Amino acid sequence: MLDELPLALDRDASEPLSVQVADGLRAAATSGLLRTSDRLPSSRALAQRLGVSRTVIAAAYDQLHAEGWIAGKRGSGTYLTTAPAAAPAHHRVTIDAAAEGPGYDLGPGAPCVEAIDPTAWRRAWRAASDQPPVVRKDRAGEPGYRAAVAEHLLRHRGLSAGSDTVVLATAGTSSAVGELAAALLRPGDAVAMEDPGYQRAAGAFLAAGIRVLPVPVDAEGLRVDDLPPDIKAVYCTPAHQFPLGARMPAARRVRLVEYARHTGSFVIEDDYDGELRYDTAPLPLLAAMAPDVVVHLGTTSKILSPVLGVGWLVAAPWVAAAVLAHRDRTGTSPSPAGQRVLVELAAHGDLARHLRRLRRALPPRRELVVTELRRRGSTVLGDDAGSHVVVPLPTAEAERRAVAAAEARGVVVDGLARHHLFSQHDTRSAPPTTFGIAIGYAAPSSRDLHAAVPIVADCLAETLACGMPIEPAAGV
């Protein structure tokens, strides 16, 4: 039975967990351990068994469903089907929420797979699988992929990858951070990071023996004037600061670049949510302003699906050379499969059409979330970009109460306190000072979002009614 399937995950591998789950289920089907019409566990049950979030399982199921391996039957669950003869060797899925019962995940950072055109998605996977197997992976990434990324960045982010920069394929943002730490830094070196900030990036630095120094953020993002001395690099998310949602203005971007040049450090620009702007035009990328001191990172995980397991790095030639030398020493390089799928999507214009569709799909979702929350008295921040918003709360107890109340009613939201860097990695540090919840609105189906948001809004209203007026938290 399914409980006996050898479905193991390697958290140290470069492949995303969702890819590993999909690969494991696919292997079980092809080997005969799973048979046609076998019922799969719900995403909640499988997530609990494997010790991962439901978002991971949902992404894996989405991939398998799109490729024809599984199908949902309303009211009864998700079942293995016979893969169509024309389907590629890589696969996708859509989970019917009614089959699992109540339970909604509004955590941030997951993509809107509902906006993906299933026909284009299947066509890209089929075309990618029709290519001959590689004998040796290109350490820099497949040439077609690097060219597609360069075109994407020029058209959608205004970044020209010319002779002064090199585009490399990566296995995603966290993997790229780890490579930069190993290639450019030494154990004991210090890196400054936004606090609160992206925990996986912090974890990648710490795993390489790098000291992570927290820098507070405000309504304009990383506070450049508070950067500590003697650091080797600065990691930031200027397009839509994670998790608080601030947008770094032009003047502060200039100061950050000047700081890097003056101190001999470099900046790692994680373009989190960079493609997703609604109310204002995008500001120039740091990498466009200063390619000599900025390393630009992007990923397909937020605009398409983490199942592709690919991203990109754009940097000066000396940075690219150091990363490639690290890959030569370790034998690591990103998988070609996801790269080939992106190439196919870009070649037929499907990637550009998807981004346009995504920008049309997300604003109504955002409007629903913001309207429901504000109508019940909540303050909402970070809603001018990205795919999540933040509701600040005054205390840790208020945050705990709101998160617990939502979870008790079947809705998962993300508390802000856990994103403080040293609250996670240094028991000697001061306690978190920023509290609230982050609400993602991209990943749920439209139906689930309409059902879940009023529940969260009611939970926050009840927190207000308990005598805890909600004001912007410290640093927001």
Side-chain angles (χ1 to χ4, degrees):
M1 290 301 294
L2 295 178
D3 289 340
E4 301 171 352
L5 289 177
L7 201 59
L9 302 181
D10 182 3
R11 286 168 170 78
D12 295 325
S14 60
E15 291 81 8
L17 294 177
S18 59
V19 174
Q20 296 182 46
V21 172
D23 286 347
L25 291 173
R26 198 180 299 117
T30 56
S31 67
L33 291 174
L34 281 177
R35 299 178 180 178
T36 300
S37 299
D38 277 352
R39 181 176 177 177
L40 273 65
S42 70
S43 62
R44 182 187 297 277
L46 189 55
Q48 290 176 343
R49 175 190 158 193
L50 297 177
V52 298
S53 71
R54 289 181 66 194
T55 302
V56 169
I57 306 303
Y61 278 11
D62 280 344
Q63 179 61 31
L64 294 172
H65 182 272
E67 296 172 352
W69 287 97
I70 64 176
K73 297 181 181 179
R74 183 176 296 275
S76 62
T78 301
Y79 292 82
L80 183 72
T81 62
T82 301
H90 314 278
H91 309 282
R92 159 189 165 183
V93 178
T94 299
I95 300 301
D96 189 339
E100 296 188 272
Y104 311 103
D105 189 346
L106 300 189
C112 182
V113 296
E114 193 173 68
I116 295 175
D117 178 0
T119 300
W121 184 252
R122 285 192 291 267
R123 181 172 59 236
W125 278 98
R126 186 178 298 114
S129 68
D130 284 342
Q131 299 181 41
V134 298
V135 176
R136 289 187 177 87
K137 293 189 290 185
D138 191 322
R139 291 278 190 259
E142 301 224 329
Y145 175 79
R146 297 165 65 195
V149 167
E151 177 67 16
H152 166 77
L153 291 174
L154 179 62
R155 293 182 58 187
H156 299 283
R157 300 299 290 126
L159 178 60
S160 176
S163 59
D164 55 348
T165 56
V166 178
V167 178
L168 300 182
T170 71
T173 299
S174 300
S175 175
V177 169
E179 287 191 307
L180 290 169
L184 302 179
L185 303 173
R186 297 179 178 179
D189 283 348
V191 169
M193 279 192 63
E194 302 158 325
D195 188 34
Y198 187 38
Q199 291 291 325
R200 289 184 179 176
F205 283 124
L206 292 167
I210 307 303
R211 293 183 295 127
V212 178
L213 305 183
V215 179
V217 298
D218 58 21
E220 296 185 343
L222 178 81
R223 289 167 55 172
V224 177
D225 292 341
D226 291 333
L227 284 170
D230 300 325
I231 59 173
K232 299 296 185 181
V234 181
Y235 168 94
C236 61
T237 52
H240 194 227
Q241 197 275 330
F242 185 85
L244 299 183
R247 178 194 191 213
M248 185 179 288
R252 188 169 292 191
R253 293 177 187 229
V254 170
R255 291 209 306 277
L256 178 56
V257 167
E258 290 175 344
Y259 172 89
R261 286 175 172 158
H262 178 72
T263 60
S265 57
F266 64 95
V267 178
I268 300 173
E269 177 185 37
D270 179 350
D271 197 32
Y272 174 75
D273 278 349
E275 290 94 347
L276 305 179
R277 296 217 62 83
Y278 310 122
D279 298 337
T280 56
L283 288 166
L285 291 171
L286 292 172
M289 297 168 57
D292 54 323
V293 293
V294 177
V295 179
H296 176 85
L297 303 181
T299 179
T300 59
S301 294
K302 305 301 184 295
I303 59 173
L304 282 164
S305 168
V307 77
L308 293 179
V310 292
W312 51 84
L313 178 157
V314 183
W318 70 271
V319 174
V323 171
L324 292 177
H326 167 70
R327 292 179 180 179
D328 287 336
R329 291 192 300 269
T330 60
T332 59
S333 58
S335 172
Q339 297 178 52
R340 290 180 171 184
V341 173
L342 187 77
V343 168
E344 295 298 331
L345 288 170
H348 298 285
D350 293 322
L351 178 59
R353 281 188 287 272
H354 170 71
L355 288 173
R356 291 194 293 270
R357 189 162 47 246
L358 191 61
R359 292 183 181 120
R360 292 193 301 268
L362 291 181
R365 291 165 172 254
R366 175 195 59 165
E367 185 64 26
L368 167 68
V369 174
V370 171
T371 299
E372 290 287 338
L373 292 171
R374 288 178 175 163
R375 186 164 64 86
R376 289 168 172 81
S378 291
T379 298
V380 181
L381 304 174
D383 59 318
D384 60 349
S387 57
H388 80 272
V389 298
V390 168
V391 175
L393 293 166
T395 65
E397 174 58 24
E399 176 184 303
R400 185 202 64 76
R401 185 179 301 173
V403 171
E407 185 173 351
R409 300 180 196 182
V411 183
V412 175
V413 293
D414 193 15
L416 296 180
R418 75 178 188 89
H419 294 288
H420 275 273
L421 301 179
F422 277 71
S423 66
Q424 298 291 306
H425 305 298
D426 189 341
T427 58
R428 301 167 298 175
S429 64
T433 57
T434 305
F435 308 104
I437 62 172
I439 302 169
Y441 53 83
S445 67
S446 297
R447 181 183 63 182
D448 285 358
L449 192 68
H450 277 81
V453 171
I455 296 173
V456 177
D458 286 340
C459 292
L460 288 164
E462 291 166 8
T463 301
L464 282 169
C466 290
M468 293 183 174
I470 299 179
E471 300 292 341
V476 180

